Amino acid sequence: METGYVYLVGAGPGDPKLITVKGAECIAKAEVLVYDRLASRRLLTLANPSCEMIYVGKSPDRHTLRQEEINEVLVKKGLEGKIVTRLKGGDPFVFGRGGEEAEALLNAGIPFEIVPGVTSAISVPAYAGIPVTHRDLTSSFAVITGHEDPNKNSSAIAWEHIANSHGTLIFLMGVANLELIAQKLMENGRSKTTPVALIQWGTRPEQRTLVGELHNIAELVEREKFTNPSIIIVGEVVSLRDKLQWFEKKALFGQRIVVTRARQQASVLSQAIEDLGGEPWEFPAIDLAPPTNPEQLVKAVRQIKRFEWLVFTSVNGVDAFFKELKNQGKDVRDLAGIELVAIGPATQAALENKGLRVSFVPEEYRAEKIIEGLASRVLPGQSVLLARAEEARDILPESLKALGADVWDVPAYKTVLGQANKEELQGLLRDHLIHTVTFTSSSTVRNFLQLLDGDRSLLKGVKLFSIGPITSATARELGLTVYREAEKYTIKGLVQALVEG
């Protein structure tokens, strides 16, 4: 059997987008992924579905694996010929014990590679608005383990030197020893009024920052119940936080938000949430599939010249229609003379991107308003093609027929249950790690409940946001309480509702 290969990868401090490009590639190629609690769970979604996942952090039924046991796992899987990615919080070589893992692999004859990560020592203070160096305040910094007991007989920390330096001091995972650390620094000459900051769960939605001085920081930490994982930063640079803090000021900071749209559509909403400081979790409740009877669309496109009106109620309908148009060797020239209707600005943009002019977009983006707008425009006997979702409501075709139109209500696609990991979703909800769920259509509501196996109690304390009245009505019919509805029935409107929260 061939020997495997092991990548020792720094996962960064917590924000999944702080993974390096190479780190992400190593996760994607892994046959075995060995990870701990400091690596973002969102990074696991980058792995191949067939990848073996091995958690080596704390869990309810056991404590953290000893380092020797982790080394054994890496060696065992490497000797099995597997490509192994060891995902470690921060950087593997900054108090990450990556050196020990590399030595174990070397002794076993297993080739390995080190993929550096963004260390929490500098990134977490940055997310709290604290630069570790500043030309006016300090030109050096030291990174020190916070695990060591400062009172032990043979300390490896030269307290007399670091205390009297003018540099910034950064202690990692030192909350339990904070009182002793502060005492040692003051005993060795550091002013008791030196600014100190603690940053817990830095770069994540749970990030909390506490500022004090050496003489009172331990008391403040105990009162505010700060625990590890936390960064302790000592020095005058802490005074810059009031001016430079940025992450915690973002409109959606601290919010972990579920996006239920189909995976191919989710990125726009997810990016908007992320830009505003929230953490989007994509659990696609729906997926898009060809309609049950695709021949109806084929027939309608084949006879496209017979229609005076072509109505689209979603971008998905536009995409499906033009795919079939292309399949038949046709293009936009075959739509000459046909009036185009779009339900809203996103659908309008999808048509305009194809070089087409849209005749009508209602001011309110729903079927009822399309009817109001077309009542004086569609003449009796005119042919109207609706290219839309198979499960769409009947009000639009029935109302157009009432105007005397010849209506072809053609399913261009259908929505099916998405491929979301329902076990992970339910686990996050049980652990109260989700703050908000967004719904962008009635089908996302119905299918999301299927992902919960109908257990509405999982949503206790979770705010539900809806893109518009039809979606809200479906939610209420299914026993859900909508916290807020978008005023404009668009993704932009939904994001605004989240901000106004």
Side-chain angles (χ1 to χ4, degrees), residues 97-120:
R97 306 191 76 171
E100 297 169 48
E101 294 174 356
E103 287 180 311
L105 294 166
L106 180 67
N107 293 336
I110 300 169
F112 63 88
E113 193 169 324
I114 310 299
V115 181
V118 178
T119 175
S120 58

Side-chain angles (χ1 to χ4, degrees), residues 221-364:
V221 164
E222 184 175 356
R223 186 180 73 198
E224 298 298 327
K225 300 187 182 336
F226 271 60
T227 60
N228 282 324
S230 290
I231 302 292
I232 302 166
I233 181 165
V234 180
E236 297 303 320
V237 291
V238 172
S239 63
L240 295 170
R241 169 173 161 74
D242 284 344
K243 291 191 297 183
L244 301 184
Q245 59 175 298
W246 58 275
F247 183 47
E248 291 149 283
K249 287 184 173 181
K250 289 200 168 192
L252 295 180
F253 167 73
Q255 296 295 306
R256 194 172 276 114
I257 300 170
V258 168
V259 175
T260 56
R261 298 187 91 194
R263 195 171 299 281
Q264 59 266 48
Q265 298 175 312
S267 59
V268 174
L269 178 54
S270 294
Q271 188 61 57
I273 291 169
E274 210 156 55
D275 289 344
L276 291 166
E279 185 178 274
W281 280 74
E282 294 181 6
F283 288 101
I286 62 172
D287 202 356
L288 305 179
T292 304
N293 182 6
E295 277 303 310
Q296 292 184 54
L297 181 61
V298 173
K299 181 180 177 182
V301 171
R302 191 178 294 137
Q303 300 182 48
I304 195 65
K305 294 292 187 183
R306 67 172 292 158
F307 297 103
E308 282 85 16
W309 293 89
L310 179 51
V311 180
F312 293 103
T313 58
S314 70
V315 173
N316 299 325
V318 174
D319 292 341
F321 174 84
F322 279 91
K323 182 179 179 181
E324 181 56 36
L325 195 71
K326 183 178 179 181
N327 286 344
Q328 294 192 23
K330 293 181 168 66
D331 58 29
V332 293
R333 291 172 294 182
D334 292 281
L335 305 182
I338 301 176
E339 302 280 359
L340 301 179
V341 177
I343 197 169
T347 308
Q348 179 183 11
L351 290 166
E352 290 177 346
N353 287 341
K354 297 182 183 299
L356 297 167
R357 182 178 59 81
V358 176
S359 301
F360 175 68
V361 181
E363 291 184 6
E364 194 175 319

